[in-house]
Amino acid sequence: DGDADRAVFVDETGAVVDGDTSFAALADDALEPGDAVVSAVNVSQRLVDVCDDNDAALELTPIGATNIITRTRELDDERTWVPIAGEGNGGVFFPPYRLSRDGAYIGAKFLELLAAADGAPASEVVAPYADYHFVRVNVEYDGGDEREDMLAAARAYVETADATPNTTDGYRLDYGDAWVLVRPSGTEPKIRIYAESADADRAERLAEEMRQAVESGR
C-alpha cells in the first residue's frame, strides 16, 4: 500500500488472496506449541483454527495496530514468544524481526511459503485457510441516546447467548467454529456487525440475529 507497511497477494489465477487468508497461512508456518499470536477482536475464524491446531494462544486486543503492538510488548515482558501478530488487512507483524509492519518483509515471508511448497501454486498453498464466509452489516443510529440503547440491547443478547463472550472491543460471541461481533464505529454513526463461519448460511444467520437484537433497542 502507499506507505509500504502492508501486503496483500494475488495468486497464479489472478484471484486476490484476502488478508485473513494470508495471515492464517503465515501464522500456521510460524507457530509452535506454547507460542502466542496477537490480533484484534475482529480476528478471522481461520486464525482461531490455526492457533488451536498449533496449540498456541490467541490474544485479542481492541481494533488497531497500536493496541496490537502494546499487547505484544506486554507479552514479551512476560517472556511469552510471539512470532507473528497483526490483522486481516494485510498488516502483519513479525516481532522477532521488528515490531512494525513492513510490506516487503511480509511479501518475503509469503514467498518463503511458496518456496517450501514443492512447486504447489499459491492457490493450493492458501486453500486450507480460504473456505470461510464473512458477513458485515451496518446499522445506523441518529444520536447518542439511540446508540447507547442499541448497544444495551446487544449486551442483553450477548449475556443470554450460548457462546463464549469477549468484551475487549464491543461484544464478540465465539461459538467454537463461528463468531459474531458487534461494536460501534469509531468514525461514523453506525453500529457494525461482523460474522464469520465456514457455512455461509450460518454466517448470515448470526449477523441477522445480532442485527435484530441491536435494532430492538431503538
Coordinates of all heavy atoms in Angstrom, one line a residue, residues 123-193:
S123 N -2.5 -20.7 -5.0 CA -3.9 -21.1 -4.7 C -4.0 -22.3 -3.9 O -4.8 -22.4 -3.0 CB -4.7 -21.2 -6.0 OG -4.2 -22.3 -6.8
E124 N -3.1 -23.3 -4.1 CA -3.1 -24.5 -3.3 C -2.5 -24.3 -1.9 O -3.0 -24.9 -0.9 CB -2.3 -25.6 -4.0 CG -3.0 -26.1 -5.3 CD -2.2 -27.3 -5.9 OE1 -1.4 -27.9 -5.2 OE2 -2.5 -27.5 -7.1
V125 N -1.5 -23.4 -1.8 CA -0.9 -23.1 -0.5 C -1.9 -22.5 0.4 O -1.9 -22.8 1.6 CB 0.3 -22.2 -0.7 CG1 0.9 -21.7 0.6 CG2 1.4 -23.0 -1.5
V126 N -2.7 -21.6 -0.1 CA -3.7 -20.9 0.8 C -5.0 -21.6 0.9 O -5.9 -21.2 1.7 CB -3.9 -19.4 0.4 CG1 -2.5 -18.7 0.3 CG2 -4.6 -19.4 -1.0
A127 N -5.3 -22.6 0.1 CA -6.6 -23.3 0.1 C -7.1 -23.7 1.4 O -8.3 -23.6 1.7 CB -6.6 -24.4 -0.9
P128 N -6.2 -24.3 2.3 CA -6.7 -24.7 3.6 C -7.3 -23.6 4.5 O -8.0 -23.9 5.5 CB -5.5 -25.4 4.3 CG -4.6 -25.7 3.1 CD -4.8 -24.6 2.1
Y129 N -7.0 -22.4 4.2 CA -7.4 -21.2 5.0 C -8.4 -20.3 4.3 O -8.8 -19.3 4.8 CB -6.2 -20.4 5.3 CG -5.0 -21.2 5.7 CD1 -4.0 -21.5 4.7 CD2 -4.8 -21.8 6.9 CE1 -2.9 -22.3 5.0 CE2 -3.7 -22.6 7.2 CZ -2.7 -22.8 6.3 OH -1.7 -23.6 6.5
A130 N -8.9 -20.7 3.2 CA -9.7 -19.8 2.3 C -11.2 -20.1 2.4 O -12.0 -19.3 2.0 CB -9.3 -19.9 0.9
D131 N -11.6 -21.3 2.9 CA -13.0 -21.6 2.8 C -13.9 -21.1 4.0 O -14.4 -21.9 4.8 CB -13.2 -23.2 2.7 CG -14.6 -23.6 2.3 OD1 -15.3 -22.7 1.7 OD2 -14.9 -24.8 2.5
Y132 N -13.9 -19.8 4.1 CA -14.7 -19.2 5.2 C -15.6 -18.1 4.6 O -15.3 -17.6 3.5 CB -13.8 -18.6 6.2 CG -13.0 -19.6 7.0 CD1 -11.9 -20.2 6.5 CD2 -13.4 -20.0 8.3 CE1 -11.1 -21.1 7.2 CE2 -12.7 -20.9 9.0 CZ -11.6 -21.5 8.5 OH -10.8 -22.4 9.2
H133 N -16.7 -17.8 5.2 CA -17.6 -16.8 4.7 C -17.8 -15.7 5.8 O -18.1 -15.9 6.9 CB -19.0 -17.4 4.4 CG -18.9 -18.5 3.4 ND1 -19.0 -18.3 2.1 CD2 -18.7 -19.9 3.6 CE1 -18.8 -19.5 1.4 NE2 -18.7 -20.4 2.3
F134 N -17.5 -14.5 5.3 CA -17.5 -13.3 6.2 C -18.7 -12.4 5.8 O -18.9 -12.1 4.6 CB -16.2 -12.5 6.1 CG -16.1 -11.3 6.9 CD1 -15.8 -11.4 8.3 CD2 -16.3 -10.1 6.4 CE1 -15.7 -10.3 9.1 CE2 -16.2 -8.9 7.2 CZ -15.9 -9.1 8.5
V135 N -19.4 -11.9 6.8 CA -20.6 -11.0 6.6 C -20.4 -9.8 7.5 O -19.9 -9.8 8.6 CB -21.9 -11.7 7.0 CG1 -23.1 -10.7 6.9 CG2 -22.1 -13.0 6.3
R136 N -20.7 -8.6 6.9 CA -20.6 -7.3 7.6 C -21.9 -6.6 7.4 O -22.3 -6.4 6.2 CB -19.4 -6.5 7.2 CG -19.3 -5.1 7.8 CD -18.0 -4.5 7.6 NE -18.1 -3.0 7.4 CZ -17.1 -2.2 7.4 NH1 -15.9 -2.7 7.5 NH2 -17.3 -0.9 7.3
V137 N -22.5 -6.1 8.5 CA -23.8 -5.3 8.4 C -23.6 -4.1 9.2 O -23.0 -4.1 10.3 CB -24.9 -6.2 9.0 CG1 -26.2 -5.3 9.0 CG2 -25.1 -7.5 8.2
N138 N -24.1 -2.9 8.7 CA -24.0 -1.7 9.4 C -25.5 -1.3 9.8 O -26.4 -1.3 9.0 CB -23.4 -0.6 8.5 CG -22.0 -0.8 8.3 OD1 -21.2 -1.2 9.2 ND2 -21.5 -0.5 7.1
V139 N -25.6 -0.8 11.0 CA -26.9 -0.3 11.5 C -26.7 1.1 11.9 O -25.9 1.4 12.8 CB -27.5 -1.2 12.7 CG1 -28.8 -0.6 13.1 CG2 -27.5 -2.6 12.3
E140 N -27.4 2.0 11.2 CA -27.2 3.5 11.5 C -28.0 3.9 12.7 O -29.1 3.3 13.0 CB -27.6 4.3 10.3 CG -26.7 4.0 9.1 CD -27.0 4.9 7.9 OE1 -27.9 5.8 8.1 OE2 -26.3 4.8 6.9
Y141 N -27.6 4.9 13.4 CA -28.3 5.5 14.5 C -28.3 7.0 14.4 O -27.5 7.6 13.7 CB -27.8 5.1 15.9 CG -26.3 5.4 16.1 CD1 -25.9 6.6 16.6 CD2 -25.3 4.4 15.9 CE1 -24.6 7.0 16.8 CE2 -24.0 4.7 16.1 CZ -23.6 6.0 16.6 OH -22.3 6.3 16.8
D142 N -29.3 7.7 15.1 CA -29.5 9.1 14.9 C -28.8 9.9 16.0 O -28.4 11.1 15.7 CB -31.0 9.4 15.0 CG -31.7 8.9 13.8 OD1 -31.1 8.8 12.7 OD2 -32.9 8.5 13.9
G143 N -28.5 9.4 17.1 CA -27.9 10.2 18.2 C -27.3 9.3 19.3 O -27.4 8.1 19.2
G144 N -26.7 9.9 20.2 CA -26.0 9.2 21.3 C -26.9 8.3 22.1 O -26.6 7.2 22.5
D145 N -28.1 8.8 22.4 CA -29.1 8.1 23.2 C -29.5 6.8 22.5 O -29.5 5.7 23.1 CB -30.3 8.9 23.5 CG -30.0 10.0 24.5 OD1 -29.0 9.9 25.2 OD2 -30.8 10.9 24.6
E146 N -29.8 6.9 21.2 CA -30.2 5.7 20.4 C -29.0 4.7 20.4 O -29.2 3.5 20.5 CB -30.6 6.1 19.0 CG -31.2 4.9 18.2 CD -31.8 5.3 16.9 OE1 -31.0 6.0 16.1 OE2 -32.9 5.0 16.7
R147 N -27.8 5.3 20.2 CA -26.6 4.4 20.1 C -26.5 3.6 21.4 O -26.3 2.4 21.4 CB -25.4 5.3 20.0 CG -24.0 4.6 20.1 CD -22.9 5.6 19.9 NE -21.6 5.1 20.0 CZ -20.9 4.8 21.1 NH1 -21.5 5.1 22.3 NH2 -19.7 4.3 21.1
E148 N -26.6 4.3 22.6 CA -26.5 3.5 23.8 C -27.6 2.5 24.0 O -27.3 1.4 24.6 CB -26.4 4.6 25.0 CG -25.2 5.4 25.0 CD -23.9 4.7 24.9 OE1 -23.8 3.7 25.7 OE2 -23.1 5.0 24.0
D149 N -28.8 2.9 23.6 CA -29.9 1.9 23.7 C -29.7 0.7 22.9 O -29.9 -0.5 23.3 CB -31.2 2.6 23.3 CG -31.7 3.6 24.3 OD1 -31.2 3.6 25.5 OD2 -32.6 4.4 24.0
M150 N -29.1 0.9 21.7 CA -28.9 -0.2 20.8 C -27.7 -1.1 21.3 O -27.8 -2.3 21.3 CB -28.6 0.3 19.4 CG -29.8 0.9 18.7 SD -29.3 1.9 17.3 CE -29.0 0.6 16.1
L151 N -26.7 -0.5 21.9 CA -25.6 -1.3 22.5 C -26.1 -2.0 23.7 O -25.6 -3.1 23.9 CB -24.4 -0.3 22.8 CG -23.7 0.2 21.6 CD1 -22.6 1.2 22.1 CD2 -23.0 -0.9 20.8
A152 N -27.0 -1.4 24.5 CA -27.5 -2.1 25.6 C -28.3 -3.3 25.2 O -28.3 -4.4 25.8 CB -28.4 -1.2 26.4
A153 N -29.1 -3.2 24.1 CA -29.8 -4.4 23.6 C -28.8 -5.5 23.1 O -29.1 -6.7 23.3 CB -30.7 -3.9 22.4
A154 N -27.7 -5.1 22.5 CA -26.7 -6.0 22.0 C -26.1 -6.7 23.3 O -25.9 -8.0 23.2 CB -25.6 -5.3 21.2
R155 N -25.9 -6.0 24.3 CA -25.3 -6.6 25.5 C -26.2 -7.6 26.1 O -25.8 -8.7 26.5 CB -24.9 -5.5 26.5 CG -24.3 -6.0 27.8 CD -23.8 -4.9 28.7 NE -24.9 -4.1 29.2 CZ -25.1 -2.8 28.8 NH1 -24.3 -2.2 27.9 NH2 -26.1 -2.1 29.2
A156 N -27.5 -7.3 26.2 CA -28.5 -8.2 26.7 C -28.6 -9.5 25.9 O -28.7 -10.6 26.5 CB -29.9 -7.5 26.8
Y157 N -28.5 -9.3 24.6 CA -28.5 -10.5 23.7 C -27.2 -11.4 24.0 O -27.3 -12.6 24.1 CB -28.5 -10.1 22.3 CG -28.4 -11.2 21.2 CD1 -29.5 -11.9 20.9 CD2 -27.1 -11.5 20.6 CE1 -29.4 -13.0 20.0 CE2 -27.0 -12.5 19.7 CZ -28.1 -13.2 19.4 OH -28.0 -14.2 18.5
V158 N -26.1 -10.7 24.1 CA -24.8 -11.5 24.4 C -24.9 -12.2 25.7 O -24.4 -13.4 25.8 CB -23.6 -10.5 24.3 CG1 -22.4 -11.1 24.9 CG2 -23.4 -10.0 22.9
E159 N -25.4 -11.6 26.7 CA -25.5 -12.2 28.0 C -26.3 -13.5 28.1 O -26.1 -14.3 29.0 CB -26.0 -11.2 29.0 CG -25.0 -10.1 29.3 CD -25.5 -9.0 30.2 OE1 -26.8 -8.9 30.4 OE2 -24.8 -8.1 30.6
T160 N -27.2 -13.6 27.2 CA -28.1 -14.8 27.2 C -27.7 -15.8 26.1 O -28.4 -16.9 26.0 CB -29.6 -14.4 27.0 OG1 -29.7 -13.7 25.7 CG2 -30.0 -13.5 28.1
A161 N -26.7 -15.5 25.3 CA -26.3 -16.4 24.2 C -25.6 -17.6 24.7 O -24.8 -17.5 25.6 CB -25.5 -15.6 23.1
D162 N -25.7 -18.7 24.0 CA -25.0 -19.9 24.3 C -23.7 -19.9 23.6 O -23.4 -20.7 22.6 CB -25.8 -21.1 23.9 CG -25.2 -22.5 24.4 OD1 -24.3 -22.4 25.2 OD2 -25.5 -23.5 23.8
A163 N -22.8 -19.0 24.0 CA -21.5 -18.9 23.3 C -20.5 -18.2 24.3 O -21.0 -17.6 25.3 CB -21.6 -18.1 22.0
T164 N -19.2 -18.2 24.0 CA -18.2 -17.5 24.8 C -18.1 -16.1 24.5 O -17.8 -15.7 23.4 CB -16.9 -18.2 24.7 OG1 -17.0 -19.6 25.0 CG2 -15.8 -17.6 25.6
P165 N -18.4 -15.2 25.5 CA -18.4 -13.7 25.1 C -17.0 -13.2 25.3 O -16.1 -13.7 26.1 CB -19.3 -13.1 26.2 CG -19.2 -14.1 27.3 CD -18.9 -15.4 26.8
N166 N -16.7 -12.1 24.6 CA -15.5 -11.3 24.7 C -15.8 -9.9 24.6 O -16.5 -9.5 23.6 CB -14.5 -11.7 23.6 CG -13.1 -11.0 23.8 OD1 -13.0 -9.8 23.8 ND2 -12.0 -11.8 23.9
T167 N -15.5 -9.1 25.6 CA -15.9 -7.7 25.6 C -14.7 -6.7 25.5 O -14.7 -5.6 25.9 CB -16.6 -7.3 26.9 OG1 -15.7 -7.6 28.0 CG2 -17.9 -8.1 27.0
T168 N -13.6 -7.2 24.8 CA -12.4 -6.4 24.6 C -12.7 -5.1 23.8 O -12.2 -4.1 24.1 CB -11.4 -7.2 23.8 OG1 -11.0 -8.4 24.6 CG2 -10.1 -6.4 23.6
D169 N -13.5 -5.2 22.8 CA -13.9 -4.1 22.0 C -15.3 -4.4 21.4 O -15.4 -5.1 20.4 CB -12.9 -3.9 20.8 CG -13.1 -2.7 20.0 OD1 -14.1 -2.0 20.2 OD2 -12.3 -2.4 19.1
G170 N -16.3 -3.9 22.0 CA -17.7 -4.3 21.7 C -18.0 -5.6 22.3 O -17.5 -5.9 23.4
Y171 N -18.8 -6.4 21.6 CA -19.3 -7.7 22.1 C -19.1 -8.7 21.0 O -19.7 -8.6 20.0 CB -20.7 -7.6 22.5 CG -21.1 -6.5 23.5 CD1 -21.7 -5.4 23.1 CD2 -20.7 -6.7 24.9 CE1 -22.0 -4.4 24.0 CE2 -21.0 -5.7 25.8 CZ -21.6 -4.5 25.4 OH -21.9 -3.5 26.3
R172 N -18.2 -9.7 21.4 CA -18.0 -10.8 20.4 C -18.4 -12.1 21.1 O -18.2 -12.4 22.2 CB -16.5 -10.9 20.1 CG -16.1 -12.1 19.2 CD -14.6 -12.2 19.0 NE -14.2 -13.4 18.4 CZ -13.7 -13.6 17.2 NH1 -13.4 -12.5 16.4 NH2 -13.3 -14.8 16.7
L173 N -19.1 -12.9 20.3 CA -19.6 -14.2 20.7 C -18.8 -15.3 19.9 O -18.9 -15.3 18.6 CB -21.1 -14.4 20.5 CG -22.0 -13.6 21.4 CD1 -23.4 -13.7 21.0 CD2 -21.8 -14.1 22.8
D174 N -18.1 -16.2 20.6 CA -17.4 -17.2 19.9 C -18.2 -18.5 20.1 O -18.4 -18.9 21.2 CB -16.0 -17.4 20.5 CG -15.1 -16.3 19.9 OD1 -14.9 -16.2 18.7 OD2 -14.5 -15.5 20.7
Y175 N -18.5 -19.2 19.0 CA -19.2 -20.5 19.0 C -18.3 -21.7 18.8 O -18.8 -22.8 18.6 CB -20.3 -20.4 18.0 CG -21.4 -19.5 18.3 CD1 -21.3 -18.2 17.9 CD2 -22.5 -19.9 19.0 CE1 -22.3 -17.2 18.2 CE2 -23.5 -19.0 19.3 CZ -23.4 -17.7 18.9 OH -24.4 -16.8 19.2
G176 N -17.0 -21.5 18.8 CA -16.1 -22.6 18.6 C -15.7 -22.7 17.1 O -14.5 -22.8 16.8
D177 N -16.7 -22.7 16.2 CA -16.4 -22.8 14.8 C -17.0 -21.6 14.0 O -17.0 -21.6 12.8 CB -17.0 -24.1 14.2 CG -18.5 -24.2 14.5 OD1 -19.0 -23.4 15.2 OD2 -19.1 -25.1 13.9
A178 N -17.5 -20.6 14.7 CA -18.0 -19.4 14.1 C -18.1 -18.3 15.2 O -17.9 -18.6 16.4 CB -19.4 -19.7 13.6
W179 N -18.3 -17.1 14.7 CA -18.3 -16.0 15.7 C -19.1 -14.8 15.1 O -19.3 -14.7 13.9 CB -16.9 -15.5 16.0 CG -16.1 -15.0 14.8 CD1 -15.3 -15.7 14.0 CD2 -16.0 -13.6 14.3 NE1 -14.8 -15.0 13.0 CE2 -15.2 -13.7 13.2 CE3 -16.6 -12.4 14.7 CZ2 -14.9 -12.5 12.4 CZ3 -16.3 -11.3 14.0 CH2 -15.4 -11.3 12.9
V180 N -19.6 -13.9 16.0 CA -20.2 -12.7 15.6 C -19.7 -11.6 16.5 O -19.5 -11.8 17.7 CB -21.8 -12.9 15.6 CG1 -22.3 -13.2 17.0 CG2 -22.4 -11.6 15.1
L181 N -19.5 -10.4 16.0 CA -19.1 -9.3 16.8 C -19.9 -8.1 16.5 O -20.3 -7.8 15.3 CB -17.6 -9.0 16.4 CG -17.0 -7.6 16.8 CD1 -16.8 -7.6 18.3 CD2 -15.7 -7.3 16.1
V182 N -20.3 -7.3 17.5 CA -21.0 -6.0 17.3 C -20.2 -5.0 18.1 O -19.8 -5.2 19.2 CB -22.4 -6.2 17.8 CG1 -22.5 -6.6 19.3 CG2 -23.2 -4.8 17.6
R183 N -20.0 -3.8 17.4 CA -19.2 -2.7 18.0 C -19.6 -1.4 17.3 O -19.9 -1.4 16.2 CB -17.7 -3.0 18.0 CG -17.2 -3.0 16.6 CD -15.7 -3.3 16.5 NE -14.9 -2.3 17.0 CZ -14.5 -1.2 16.3 NH1 -14.8 -1.1 15.1 NH2 -13.7 -0.3 16.9
P184 N -19.5 -0.3 18.1 CA -19.8 1.0 17.4 C -18.6 1.4 16.5 O -17.5 1.2 16.9 CB -20.0 1.9 18.6 CG -19.2 1.3 19.7 CD -19.3 -0.2 19.5
S185 N -18.9 2.0 15.4 CA -17.9 2.5 14.5 C -17.2 3.7 15.3 O -17.8 4.4 16.0 CB -18.5 3.0 13.2 OG -17.5 3.8 12.5
G186 N -15.9 3.8 15.1 CA -15.2 4.9 15.6 C -15.2 6.2 14.8 O -14.7 7.2 15.2
T187 N -15.8 6.1 13.6 CA -15.7 7.2 12.6 C -17.1 7.6 12.1 O -17.2 8.7 11.5 CB -14.8 6.8 11.4 OG1 -15.3 5.6 10.8 CG2 -13.3 6.6 11.9
E188 N -18.1 6.7 12.2 CA -19.4 7.0 11.6 C -20.5 6.7 12.6 O -20.3 5.9 13.5 CB -19.6 6.1 10.3 CG -18.6 6.4 9.2 CD -18.9 5.5 8.0 OE1 -18.5 4.3 8.1 OE2 -19.4 5.9 7.0
P189 N -21.7 7.3 12.4 CA -22.8 7.0 13.3 C -23.4 5.6 13.0 O -24.6 5.5 12.5 CB -23.8 8.1 13.1 CG -23.5 8.6 11.7 CD -22.0 8.3 11.5
K190 N -22.7 4.6 13.2 CA -23.1 3.2 12.8 C -22.7 2.2 13.9 O -21.6 2.3 14.5 CB -22.6 2.8 11.5 CG -23.0 3.7 10.3 CD -22.3 3.2 9.0 CE -22.8 4.1 7.8 NZ -22.1 3.7 6.5
I191 N -23.5 1.2 14.1 CA -23.1 0.0 14.8 C -22.7 -1.0 13.8 O -23.5 -1.3 12.8 CB -24.3 -0.5 15.6 CG1 -24.9 0.5 16.6 CG2 -23.9 -1.8 16.4 CD1 -23.9 1.0 17.7
R192 N -21.5 -1.6 13.9 CA -21.0 -2.5 12.9 C -21.2 -4.0 13.5 O -20.9 -4.2 14.7 CB -19.6 -2.3 12.6 CG -19.3 -0.9 12.1 CD -18.0 -0.8 11.3 NE -17.6 0.5 10.9 CZ -18.1 1.2 9.9 NH1 -19.0 0.6 9.1 NH2 -17.7 2.4 9.6
I193 N -21.7 -4.8 12.6 CA -21.9 -6.2 13.0 C -21.0 -7.1 12.0 O -21.1 -6.9 10.8 CB -23.3 -6.6 12.9 CG1 -24.2 -5.8 13.9 CG2 -23.5 -8.1 13.2 CD1 -25.7 -5.9 13.7

